[in-house]
Short mmCIF file of all heavy atoms in Angstrom, two decimals:
data_model
loop_
_atom_site.label_atom_id
_atom_site.label_comp_id
_atom_site.label_asym_id
_atom_site.label_seq_id
_atom_site.Cartn_x
_atom_site.Cartn_y
_atom_site.Cartn_z
N GLN K 1 0.87 -1.12 0.06
CA GLN K 1 -0.02 0.01 -0.07
C GLN K 1 0.98 1.27 -0.03
O GLN K 1 2.00 1.20 0.42
CB GLN K 1 -0.94 -0.02 1.15
CG GLN K 1 -1.92 -1.18 1.20
CD GLN K 1 -2.79 -1.07 2.33
OE1 GLN K 1 -3.04 -0.02 3.04
NE2 GLN K 1 -3.58 -2.09 2.60
N GLY K 2 0.31 2.33 -0.43
CA GLY K 2 1.11 3.59 -0.47
C GLY K 2 1.35 4.07 -1.91
O GLY K 2 0.78 3.46 -2.80
N GLU K 3 2.11 5.05 -2.03
CA GLU K 3 2.46 5.57 -3.30
C GLU K 3 3.77 5.11 -3.79
O GLU K 3 4.67 4.85 -3.12
CB GLU K 3 2.48 7.13 -3.23
CG GLU K 3 1.10 7.71 -2.85
CD GLU K 3 1.11 9.20 -2.89
OE1 GLU K 3 1.93 9.89 -3.60
OE2 GLU K 3 0.39 9.83 -2.07
N ALA K 4 3.91 5.04 -5.13
CA ALA K 4 5.15 4.73 -5.74
C ALA K 4 6.14 5.94 -5.71
O ALA K 4 5.75 7.09 -5.50
CB ALA K 4 5.07 4.43 -7.26
N GLU K 5 7.43 5.61 -5.49
CA GLU K 5 8.54 6.58 -5.27
C GLU K 5 9.59 6.37 -6.23
O GLU K 5 9.91 5.26 -6.59
CB GLU K 5 9.05 6.68 -3.88
CG GLU K 5 8.16 7.00 -2.84
CD GLU K 5 8.82 7.02 -1.43
OE1 GLU K 5 10.09 7.42 -1.41
OE2 GLU K 5 8.20 6.70 -0.45
N ARG K 6 10.12 7.43 -6.82
CA ARG K 6 11.24 7.33 -7.75
C ARG K 6 12.56 7.03 -6.95
O ARG K 6 12.73 7.72 -5.97
CB ARG K 6 11.43 8.56 -8.52
CG ARG K 6 12.63 8.56 -9.60
CD ARG K 6 12.65 9.78 -10.23
NE ARG K 6 11.40 9.98 -11.08
CZ ARG K 6 11.36 9.84 -12.45
NH1 ARG K 6 12.43 9.54 -13.06
NH2 ARG K 6 10.38 10.08 -13.05
N LEU K 7 13.32 6.04 -7.36
CA LEU K 7 14.53 5.73 -6.71
C LEU K 7 15.62 5.71 -7.69
O LEU K 7 15.80 4.71 -8.42
CB LEU K 7 14.42 4.36 -5.91
CG LEU K 7 15.68 3.87 -5.12
CD1 LEU K 7 15.94 4.84 -4.04
CD2 LEU K 7 15.44 2.50 -4.77
N PRO K 8 16.40 6.72 -7.83
CA PRO K 8 17.47 6.82 -8.78
C PRO K 8 18.63 5.73 -8.44
O PRO K 8 18.92 5.65 -7.30
CB PRO K 8 18.07 8.26 -8.71
CG PRO K 8 17.10 8.98 -8.06
CD PRO K 8 16.26 8.08 -7.18
N LEU K 9 19.01 4.94 -9.47
CA LEU K 9 19.99 3.94 -9.23
C LEU K 9 21.41 4.43 -9.43
O LEU K 9 21.63 5.11 -10.35
CB LEU K 9 19.70 2.79 -10.22
CG LEU K 9 18.34 2.07 -10.08
CD1 LEU K 9 18.16 1.08 -11.10
CD2 LEU K 9 18.11 1.57 -8.76
N THR K 10 22.22 4.11 -8.42
CA THR K 10 23.64 4.55 -8.42
C THR K 10 24.60 3.32 -8.23
O THR K 10 24.12 2.27 -8.40
CB THR K 10 23.83 5.55 -7.28
OG1 THR K 10 23.68 4.96 -6.04
CG2 THR K 10 22.91 6.83 -7.39
N GLY K 11 25.71 3.64 -7.86
CA GLY K 11 26.73 2.48 -7.69
C GLY K 11 27.16 1.89 -8.95
O GLY K 11 27.44 2.58 -9.90
N GLU K 12 27.07 0.60 -9.14
CA GLU K 12 27.42 -0.17 -10.16
C GLU K 12 26.49 -0.18 -11.32
O GLU K 12 26.79 -0.80 -12.33
CB GLU K 12 27.79 -1.56 -9.69
CG GLU K 12 28.98 -1.67 -8.85
CD GLU K 12 29.34 -3.02 -8.33
OE1 GLU K 12 28.84 -4.09 -9.03
OE2 GLU K 12 30.01 -3.16 -7.29
N TRP K 13 25.25 0.31 -11.11
CA TRP K 13 24.29 0.24 -12.14
C TRP K 13 24.70 0.96 -13.44
O TRP K 13 25.15 2.15 -13.22
CB TRP K 13 22.92 0.84 -11.64
CG TRP K 13 21.92 0.89 -12.64
CD1 TRP K 13 21.58 1.86 -13.44
CD2 TRP K 13 20.91 -0.26 -12.90
NE1 TRP K 13 20.45 1.40 -14.33
CE2 TRP K 13 20.10 0.24 -13.93
CE3 TRP K 13 20.75 -1.47 -12.33
CZ2 TRP K 13 19.07 -0.65 -14.52
CZ3 TRP K 13 19.88 -2.40 -12.88
CH2 TRP K 13 19.05 -1.89 -13.91
N GLU K 14 24.52 0.39 -14.56
CA GLU K 14 24.80 1.07 -15.87
C GLU K 14 23.56 1.17 -16.56
O GLU K 14 22.89 0.12 -16.97
CB GLU K 14 25.81 0.25 -16.68
CG GLU K 14 27.15 0.20 -16.02
CD GLU K 14 28.09 -0.59 -16.81
OE1 GLU K 14 28.16 -0.43 -18.10
OE2 GLU K 14 28.80 -1.55 -16.31
N GLN K 15 23.05 2.45 -16.79
CA GLN K 15 21.81 2.56 -17.53
C GLN K 15 22.12 2.70 -18.98
O GLN K 15 22.87 3.46 -19.53
CB GLN K 15 21.16 3.93 -17.11
CG GLN K 15 19.88 4.21 -17.78
CD GLN K 15 18.73 3.17 -17.58
OE1 GLN K 15 18.57 2.66 -16.37
NE2 GLN K 15 18.05 2.75 -18.58
N THR K 16 21.41 1.86 -19.77
CA THR K 16 21.46 1.95 -21.15
C THR K 16 20.61 3.14 -21.67
O THR K 16 19.48 3.27 -21.38
CB THR K 16 20.85 0.61 -21.87
OG1 THR K 16 21.57 -0.46 -21.39
CG2 THR K 16 20.95 0.62 -23.33
N PRO K 17 21.28 3.98 -22.48
CA PRO K 17 20.60 5.30 -22.93
C PRO K 17 19.27 4.97 -23.73
O PRO K 17 19.33 3.89 -24.47
CB PRO K 17 21.71 5.96 -23.92
CG PRO K 17 22.88 5.44 -23.41
CD PRO K 17 22.61 3.95 -22.93
N ASP K 18 18.29 5.69 -23.37
CA ASP K 18 16.99 5.58 -24.20
C ASP K 18 16.27 4.22 -24.00
O ASP K 18 15.69 3.73 -24.94
CB ASP K 18 17.16 5.95 -25.61
CG ASP K 18 17.65 7.30 -25.87
OD1 ASP K 18 17.23 8.29 -25.16
OD2 ASP K 18 18.51 7.51 -26.80
N ALA K 19 16.60 3.48 -22.89
CA ALA K 19 15.98 2.24 -22.69
C ALA K 19 15.57 2.09 -21.25
O ALA K 19 16.03 2.69 -20.30
CB ALA K 19 17.03 1.12 -22.94
N ILE K 20 14.44 1.34 -21.12
CA ILE K 20 13.93 0.99 -19.77
C ILE K 20 14.49 -0.43 -19.53
O ILE K 20 14.06 -1.37 -20.06
CB ILE K 20 12.44 1.06 -19.75
CG1 ILE K 20 11.84 2.47 -19.95
CG2 ILE K 20 11.92 0.49 -18.36
CD1 ILE K 20 10.35 2.58 -20.15
N SER K 21 15.47 -0.45 -18.76
CA SER K 21 16.16 -1.79 -18.58
C SER K 21 15.99 -2.30 -17.21
O SER K 21 16.49 -3.40 -16.96
CB SER K 21 17.77 -1.65 -18.83
OG SER K 21 18.30 -0.73 -18.01
N ALA K 22 15.43 -1.68 -16.19
CA ALA K 22 15.26 -2.26 -14.89
C ALA K 22 14.00 -3.10 -14.86
O ALA K 22 12.95 -2.56 -14.93
CB ALA K 22 15.12 -1.13 -13.82
N ASN K 23 14.21 -4.33 -14.91
CA ASN K 23 13.03 -5.35 -14.94
C ASN K 23 13.24 -6.29 -13.82
O ASN K 23 14.22 -6.49 -13.20
CB ASN K 23 13.02 -6.11 -16.30
CG ASN K 23 12.50 -5.13 -17.26
OD1 ASN K 23 11.52 -4.41 -17.21
ND2 ASN K 23 13.12 -5.11 -18.52
N GLY K 24 12.12 -7.17 -13.71
CA GLY K 24 12.25 -8.30 -12.81
C GLY K 24 12.63 -7.99 -11.42
O GLY K 24 13.54 -8.60 -10.84
N LEU K 25 11.82 -7.14 -10.84
CA LEU K 25 12.14 -6.65 -9.41
C LEU K 25 11.60 -7.63 -8.39
O LEU K 25 10.43 -8.21 -8.58
CB LEU K 25 11.44 -5.34 -9.14
CG LEU K 25 11.71 -4.20 -10.00
CD1 LEU K 25 10.80 -3.08 -9.83
CD2 LEU K 25 13.15 -3.92 -10.06
N VAL K 26 12.38 -8.03 -7.38
CA VAL K 26 11.89 -8.87 -6.30
C VAL K 26 12.48 -8.32 -5.10
O VAL K 26 13.69 -7.98 -5.07
CB VAL K 26 12.22 -10.37 -6.53
CG1 VAL K 26 13.55 -10.61 -6.43
CG2 VAL K 26 11.36 -11.24 -5.58
N GLY K 27 11.67 -8.30 -4.01
CA GLY K 27 12.27 -7.81 -2.61
C GLY K 27 13.25 -8.84 -2.07
O GLY K 27 13.13 -10.02 -2.21
N THR K 28 14.17 -8.34 -1.35
CA THR K 28 15.08 -9.16 -0.45
C THR K 28 14.39 -9.69 0.76
O THR K 28 13.37 -9.04 1.18
CB THR K 28 16.38 -8.48 -0.14
OG1 THR K 28 16.03 -7.28 0.65
CG2 THR K 28 17.16 -8.12 -1.38
N PRO K 29 14.75 -10.79 1.35
CA PRO K 29 14.12 -11.35 2.55
C PRO K 29 14.12 -10.35 3.67
O PRO K 29 13.06 -10.47 4.45
CB PRO K 29 15.00 -12.58 2.85
CG PRO K 29 15.69 -12.95 1.56
CD PRO K 29 15.89 -11.71 0.80
N ASP K 30 14.98 -9.53 3.89
CA ASP K 30 15.00 -8.54 4.94
C ASP K 30 14.14 -7.32 4.73
O ASP K 30 14.02 -6.49 5.60
CB ASP K 30 16.37 -8.18 5.40
CG ASP K 30 17.18 -7.46 4.37
OD1 ASP K 30 16.60 -6.99 3.22
OD2 ASP K 30 18.36 -7.20 4.50
N GLY K 31 13.59 -7.22 3.51
CA GLY K 31 12.84 -6.05 3.19
C GLY K 31 13.58 -4.74 2.97
O GLY K 31 12.92 -3.73 2.74
N LYS K 32 14.87 -4.77 2.95
CA LYS K 32 15.70 -3.60 2.79
C LYS K 32 16.19 -3.27 1.45
O LYS K 32 16.94 -2.32 1.06
CB LYS K 32 16.80 -3.59 3.82
CG LYS K 32 16.36 -3.61 5.28
CD LYS K 32 17.50 -3.59 6.17
CE LYS K 32 17.00 -3.65 7.58
NZ LYS K 32 18.11 -3.64 8.53
N GLY K 33 15.93 -4.24 0.48
CA GLY K 33 16.58 -4.17 -0.87
C GLY K 33 15.65 -4.81 -1.91
O GLY K 33 14.59 -5.47 -1.62
N LEU K 34 16.15 -4.64 -3.10
CA LEU K 34 15.48 -5.32 -4.29
C LEU K 34 16.60 -6.08 -5.06
O LEU K 34 17.82 -5.57 -5.07
CB LEU K 34 14.92 -4.23 -5.20
CG LEU K 34 13.74 -3.43 -4.76
CD1 LEU K 34 13.39 -2.31 -5.71
CD2 LEU K 34 12.48 -4.36 -4.55
N ILE K 35 16.24 -7.08 -5.67
CA ILE K 35 17.11 -7.69 -6.62
C ILE K 35 16.44 -7.34 -7.98
O ILE K 35 15.26 -7.42 -8.27
CB ILE K 35 17.06 -9.32 -6.52
CG1 ILE K 35 17.53 -9.69 -5.19
CG2 ILE K 35 17.96 -9.80 -7.63
CD1 ILE K 35 18.92 -9.23 -4.82
N VAL K 36 17.28 -6.70 -8.95
CA VAL K 36 16.78 -6.13 -10.14
C VAL K 36 17.61 -6.68 -11.21
O VAL K 36 18.83 -6.79 -11.30
CB VAL K 36 16.94 -4.63 -10.07
CG1 VAL K 36 16.47 -3.85 -11.35
CG2 VAL K 36 16.24 -4.04 -8.93
N VAL K 37 16.95 -7.00 -12.37
CA VAL K 37 17.59 -7.39 -13.62
C VAL K 37 17.78 -6.13 -14.58
O VAL K 37 16.88 -5.38 -14.70
CB VAL K 37 16.71 -8.41 -14.42
CG1 VAL K 37 17.26 -8.63 -15.73
CG2 VAL K 37 16.45 -9.65 -13.63
N SER K 38 18.97 -5.94 -15.01
CA SER K 38 19.19 -5.05 -16.18
C SER K 38 19.06 -5.82 -17.45
O SER K 38 20.01 -6.60 -17.81
CB SER K 38 20.63 -4.48 -16.10
OG SER K 38 20.85 -3.64 -17.17
N SER K 39 17.92 -5.78 -17.98
CA SER K 39 17.54 -6.77 -19.14
C SER K 39 18.41 -6.45 -20.36
O SER K 39 18.72 -7.27 -21.20
CB SER K 39 16.07 -6.68 -19.33
OG SER K 39 15.71 -5.35 -19.71
N THR K 40 18.83 -5.14 -20.51
CA THR K 40 19.54 -4.85 -21.73
C THR K 40 20.94 -5.18 -21.68
O THR K 40 21.70 -5.45 -22.62
CB THR K 40 19.43 -3.36 -22.15
OG1 THR K 40 19.84 -2.52 -20.90
CG2 THR K 40 18.04 -2.87 -22.42
N LEU K 41 21.57 -5.31 -20.44
CA LEU K 41 22.91 -5.59 -20.28
C LEU K 41 23.11 -7.06 -19.71
O LEU K 41 24.22 -7.65 -19.79
CB LEU K 41 23.69 -4.71 -19.24
CG LEU K 41 23.74 -3.19 -19.74
CD1 LEU K 41 24.37 -2.35 -18.63
CD2 LEU K 41 24.47 -3.12 -20.99
N GLY K 42 21.97 -7.74 -19.29
CA GLY K 42 22.03 -9.08 -18.90
C GLY K 42 22.72 -9.32 -17.54
O GLY K 42 23.28 -10.26 -17.18
N ARG K 43 22.64 -8.29 -16.64
CA ARG K 43 23.22 -8.18 -15.30
C ARG K 43 22.16 -8.25 -14.21
O ARG K 43 20.99 -7.77 -14.34
CB ARG K 43 24.22 -7.10 -15.06
CG ARG K 43 25.27 -7.22 -16.16
CD ARG K 43 26.26 -6.00 -16.02
NE ARG K 43 27.26 -5.96 -17.03
CZ ARG K 43 27.77 -4.90 -17.58
NH1 ARG K 43 27.44 -3.66 -17.08
NH2 ARG K 43 28.63 -4.95 -18.48
N LEU K 44 22.51 -8.69 -13.03
CA LEU K 44 21.74 -8.75 -11.95
C LEU K 44 22.29 -7.99 -10.82
O LEU K 44 23.49 -7.98 -10.65
CB LEU K 44 21.57 -10.22 -11.36
CG LEU K 44 20.40 -10.67 -10.53
CD1 LEU K 44 19.06 -10.41 -11.13
CD2 LEU K 44 20.53 -12.22 -10.08
N TYR K 45 21.45 -7.16 -10.18
CA TYR K 45 21.96 -6.19 -9.11
C TYR K 45 21.06 -6.28 -7.77
O TYR K 45 19.92 -6.67 -7.82
CB TYR K 45 21.81 -4.76 -9.56
CG TYR K 45 22.68 -4.48 -10.73
CD1 TYR K 45 22.21 -4.69 -12.05
CD2 TYR K 45 23.96 -3.95 -10.60
CE1 TYR K 45 23.00 -4.31 -13.17
CE2 TYR K 45 24.71 -3.59 -11.65
CZ TYR K 45 24.25 -3.84 -12.86
OH TYR K 45 25.12 -3.59 -14.04
N HIS K 46 21.81 -5.96 -6.72
CA HIS K 46 21.11 -5.82 -5.40
C HIS K 46 21.03 -4.31 -5.23
O HIS K 46 22.01 -3.59 -5.35
CB HIS K 46 21.84 -6.47 -4.27
CG HIS K 46 21.31 -6.11 -2.98
ND1 HIS K 46 21.70 -4.97 -2.23
CD2 HIS K 46 20.36 -6.66 -2.14
CE1 HIS K 46 21.07 -4.92 -1.05
NE2 HIS K 46 20.21 -6.01 -1.06
N VAL K 47 19.93 -3.77 -4.97
CA VAL K 47 19.64 -2.36 -4.82
C VAL K 47 19.23 -2.06 -3.40
O VAL K 47 18.20 -2.58 -2.90
CB VAL K 47 18.58 -1.82 -5.89
CG1 VAL K 47 18.44 -0.37 -5.58
CG2 VAL K 47 19.14 -2.10 -7.28
N ASP K 48 19.86 -1.15 -2.76
CA ASP K 48 19.49 -0.66 -1.31
C ASP K 48 18.26 0.19 -1.45
O ASP K 48 18.33 1.25 -2.27
CB ASP K 48 20.66 0.13 -0.77
CG ASP K 48 20.37 0.51 0.67
OD1 ASP K 48 19.40 1.26 0.92
OD2 ASP K 48 21.13 -0.03 1.64
N LEU K 49 17.24 -0.08 -0.86
CA LEU K 49 15.95 0.70 -0.87
C LEU K 49 16.07 2.17 -0.30
O LEU K 49 15.31 3.03 -0.67
CB LEU K 49 14.84 0.03 -0.35
CG LEU K 49 14.18 -1.12 -1.14
CD1 LEU K 49 13.12 -1.85 -0.39
CD2 LEU K 49 13.55 -0.60 -2.39
N ARG K 50 17.01 2.35 0.64
CA ARG K 50 17.23 3.73 1.17
C ARG K 50 17.98 4.64 0.19
O ARG K 50 17.59 5.79 0.15
CB ARG K 50 17.94 3.61 2.53
CG ARG K 50 17.09 2.99 3.65
CD ARG K 50 17.83 2.96 4.98
NE ARG K 50 19.14 2.37 4.88
CZ ARG K 50 20.34 2.88 4.88
NH1 ARG K 50 20.46 4.28 4.90
NH2 ARG K 50 21.44 2.20 4.78
N THR K 51 18.96 4.03 -0.40
CA THR K 51 19.96 4.99 -1.10
C THR K 51 19.90 4.79 -2.61
O THR K 51 20.38 5.67 -3.33
CB THR K 51 21.33 4.62 -0.72
OG1 THR K 51 21.72 3.24 -1.05
CG2 THR K 51 21.57 4.72 0.81
N GLY K 52 19.44 3.65 -3.07
CA GLY K 52 19.41 3.39 -4.52
C GLY K 52 20.76 2.82 -4.94
O GLY K 52 20.97 2.58 -6.25
N HIS K 53 21.73 2.62 -4.15
CA HIS K 53 23.07 2.10 -4.55
C HIS K 53 22.85 0.56 -5.02
O HIS K 53 22.41 -0.21 -4.28
CB HIS K 53 23.92 2.16 -3.36
CG HIS K 53 25.34 1.85 -3.66
ND1 HIS K 53 25.83 0.47 -3.64
CD2 HIS K 53 26.39 2.55 -4.17
CE1 HIS K 53 27.06 0.49 -4.09
NE2 HIS K 53 27.47 1.74 -4.35
N ALA K 54 23.32 0.28 -6.23
CA ALA K 54 23.31 -0.94 -6.71
C ALA K 54 24.60 -1.64 -6.79
O ALA K 54 25.63 -1.04 -7.19
CB ALA K 54 22.75 -0.88 -8.22
N THR K 55 24.66 -2.94 -6.37
CA THR K 55 25.79 -3.73 -6.39
C THR K 55 25.54 -4.97 -7.26
O THR K 55 24.55 -5.67 -7.05
CB THR K 55 26.16 -4.16 -4.92
OG1 THR K 55 26.25 -2.99 -4.09
CG2 THR K 55 27.36 -4.97 -4.91
N GLY K 56 26.47 -5.34 -8.16
CA GLY K 56 26.29 -6.49 -8.95
C GLY K 56 26.19 -7.75 -8.17
O GLY K 56 26.86 -7.88 -7.12
N VAL K 57 25.36 -8.68 -8.57
CA VAL K 57 25.22 -10.07 -8.07
C VAL K 57 25.85 -11.04 -8.97
O VAL K 57 25.57 -11.05 -10.22
CB VAL K 57 23.71 -10.29 -7.83
CG1 VAL K 57 23.55 -11.74 -7.32
CG2 VAL K 57 23.11 -9.36 -6.88
N ALA K 58 26.78 -11.86 -8.42
CA ALA K 58 27.43 -12.82 -9.24
C ALA K 58 26.40 -13.97 -9.72
O ALA K 58 25.59 -14.47 -8.83
CB ALA K 58 28.56 -13.51 -8.41
N LEU K 59 26.43 -14.36 -10.86
CA LEU K 59 25.55 -15.43 -11.31
C LEU K 59 26.22 -16.77 -11.31
O LEU K 59 27.45 -16.89 -11.49
CB LEU K 59 25.16 -15.11 -12.79
CG LEU K 59 24.31 -13.88 -13.12
CD1 LEU K 59 24.14 -13.64 -14.56
CD2 LEU K 59 23.07 -13.92 -12.36
N ARG K 60 25.45 -17.88 -11.11
CA ARG K 60 26.01 -19.24 -11.13
C ARG K 60 24.99 -19.90 -12.18
O ARG K 60 23.81 -19.85 -11.99
CB ARG K 60 25.98 -19.92 -9.80
CG ARG K 60 27.14 -19.40 -8.90
CD ARG K 60 27.23 -20.19 -7.72
NE ARG K 60 26.18 -19.91 -6.80
CZ ARG K 60 25.90 -20.36 -5.62
NH1 ARG K 60 26.68 -21.28 -5.22
NH2 ARG K 60 25.03 -20.02 -4.82
N GLY K 61 25.62 -20.67 -13.00
CA GLY K 61 24.77 -21.50 -13.82
C GLY K 61 24.37 -20.91 -15.13
O GLY K 61 23.57 -21.44 -16.06
N ALA K 62 24.69 -19.54 -15.32
CA ALA K 62 24.36 -18.77 -16.42
C ALA K 62 25.36 -17.71 -16.71
O ALA K 62 25.80 -17.08 -15.65
CB ALA K 62 22.90 -18.21 -16.40
N ALA K 63 25.65 -17.39 -17.95
CA ALA K 63 26.57 -16.30 -18.19
C ALA K 63 25.97 -14.85 -18.01
O ALA K 63 26.58 -13.97 -17.66
CB ALA K 63 27.15 -16.35 -19.67
N ASP K 64 24.63 -14.82 -18.29
CA ASP K 64 23.87 -13.54 -18.15
C ASP K 64 22.35 -13.81 -18.03
O ASP K 64 21.95 -14.89 -18.01
CB ASP K 64 24.21 -12.66 -19.30
CG ASP K 64 23.82 -13.20 -20.66
OD1 ASP K 64 22.68 -13.65 -20.75
OD2 ASP K 64 24.58 -13.24 -21.54
N VAL K 65 21.67 -12.76 -17.80
CA VAL K 65 20.24 -12.76 -17.75
C VAL K 65 19.65 -11.78 -18.79
O VAL K 65 18.78 -11.05 -18.46
CB VAL K 65 19.72 -12.47 -16.33
CG1 VAL K 65 19.95 -13.63 -15.36
CG2 VAL K 65 20.28 -11.17 -15.71
N LEU K 66 20.36 -11.79 -19.91
CA LEU K 66 19.90 -10.87 -21.03
C LEU K 66 18.42 -10.99 -21.38
O LEU K 66 17.95 -12.12 -21.45
CB LEU K 66 20.77 -11.23 -22.30
CG LEU K 66 20.78 -10.19 -23.44
CD1 LEU K 66 21.42 -8.87 -22.89
CD2 LEU K 66 21.57 -10.69 -24.58
N ASN K 67 17.81 -9.89 -21.45
CA ASN K 67 16.34 -9.89 -21.77
C ASN K 67 15.56 -10.36 -20.52
O ASN K 67 14.36 -10.76 -20.68
CB ASN K 67 15.95 -10.58 -22.95
CG ASN K 67 16.62 -9.83 -24.29
OD1 ASN K 67 16.57 -8.66 -24.38
ND2 ASN K 67 17.08 -10.76 -25.12
N GLY K 68 16.11 -10.49 -19.38
CA GLY K 68 15.51 -11.05 -18.18
C GLY K 68 14.29 -10.14 -17.81
O GLY K 68 14.35 -8.89 -17.97
N ASP K 69 13.21 -10.72 -17.35
CA ASP K 69 12.03 -10.07 -16.90
C ASP K 69 11.24 -11.03 -16.00
O ASP K 69 10.88 -12.15 -16.39
CB ASP K 69 11.11 -9.63 -18.16
CG ASP K 69 10.08 -8.71 -17.77
OD1 ASP K 69 10.09 -8.22 -16.58
OD2 ASP K 69 9.21 -8.43 -18.61
N GLY K 70 11.05 -10.58 -14.84
CA GLY K 70 10.36 -11.44 -13.85
C GLY K 70 11.27 -12.27 -13.03
O GLY K 70 12.04 -13.09 -13.61
N LEU K 71 11.19 -12.12 -11.76
CA LEU K 71 11.99 -12.91 -10.81
C LEU K 71 11.11 -13.48 -9.78
O LEU K 71 10.08 -12.87 -9.34
CB LEU K 71 13.08 -12.08 -10.06
CG LEU K 71 14.17 -11.39 -10.81
CD1 LEU K 71 14.94 -10.48 -10.07
CD2 LEU K 71 15.02 -12.45 -11.53
N VAL K 72 11.47 -14.59 -9.22
CA VAL K 72 10.85 -15.24 -8.04
C VAL K 72 11.90 -15.57 -7.08
O VAL K 72 12.89 -16.23 -7.43
CB VAL K 72 10.07 -16.49 -8.46
CG1 VAL K 72 9.47 -17.18 -7.33
CG2 VAL K 72 9.00 -16.23 -9.47
N ARG K 73 11.71 -15.12 -5.89
CA ARG K 73 12.70 -15.43 -4.85
C ARG K 73 12.27 -16.79 -4.15
O ARG K 73 11.12 -17.01 -3.82
CB ARG K 73 12.75 -14.34 -3.79
CG ARG K 73 13.78 -14.53 -2.73
CD ARG K 73 13.80 -13.47 -1.61
NE ARG K 73 12.44 -13.82 -0.95
CZ ARG K 73 11.81 -12.87 -0.16
NH1 ARG K 73 12.40 -11.67 -0.02
NH2 ARG K 73 10.67 -13.13 0.37
N VAL K 74 13.15 -17.74 -4.06
CA VAL K 74 12.95 -19.00 -3.51
C VAL K 74 13.66 -19.17 -2.14
O VAL K 74 14.82 -18.78 -2.11
CB VAL K 74 13.31 -20.15 -4.45
CG1 VAL K 74 13.14 -21.58 -3.86
CG2 VAL K 74 12.65 -20.03 -5.75
#
C-alpha cells in the first residue's frame, strides 16, 4: 500500500541510454533491498531501498540474464 516513489539507481548500475532496462524486481528477505535485472545488459543487481545504490550479483549456472524479466525469490 502507499504511493510509488522514484529511486535513482547509483553505484554499479549502468543505464542503457533511451532504454527501460530495470526489470524483474523482487524484494530481499529482509525487506531492505531489491534484486533487479538489467535486461539490456544481462546483469543482476542488489539495490538498497534507502539509497538506490546498486551492487552487482554474481551469477551461477548462466553467463547472463539478457532480456530477463520477472524474478521469483525461492
Side-chain angles (χ1 to χ4, degrees):
Q1 294 184 13
E3 294 184 30
E5 292 182 36
R6 181 180 296 256
L7 182 63
L9 300 177
T10 63
E12 297 177 18
W13 181 264
E14 293 180 48
Q15 181 61 41
T16 303
D18 302 320
I20 298 173
S21 60
N23 283 315
L25 309 172
V26 68
T28 58
D30 63 7
K32 296 180 181 179
L34 293 173
I35 303 299
V36 181
V37 174
S38 172
S39 59
T40 55
L41 298 176
R43 298 181 186 145
L44 198 60
Y45 295 90
H46 174 272
V47 177
D48 184 296
L49 283 174
R50 289 182 304 105
T51 65
H53 188 270
T55 305
V57 174
L59 297 175
R60 285 190 285 180
D64 61 52
V65 288
L66 195 61
N67 298 318
D69 191 12
L71 293 175
V72 175
R73 186 185 64 199
V74 177

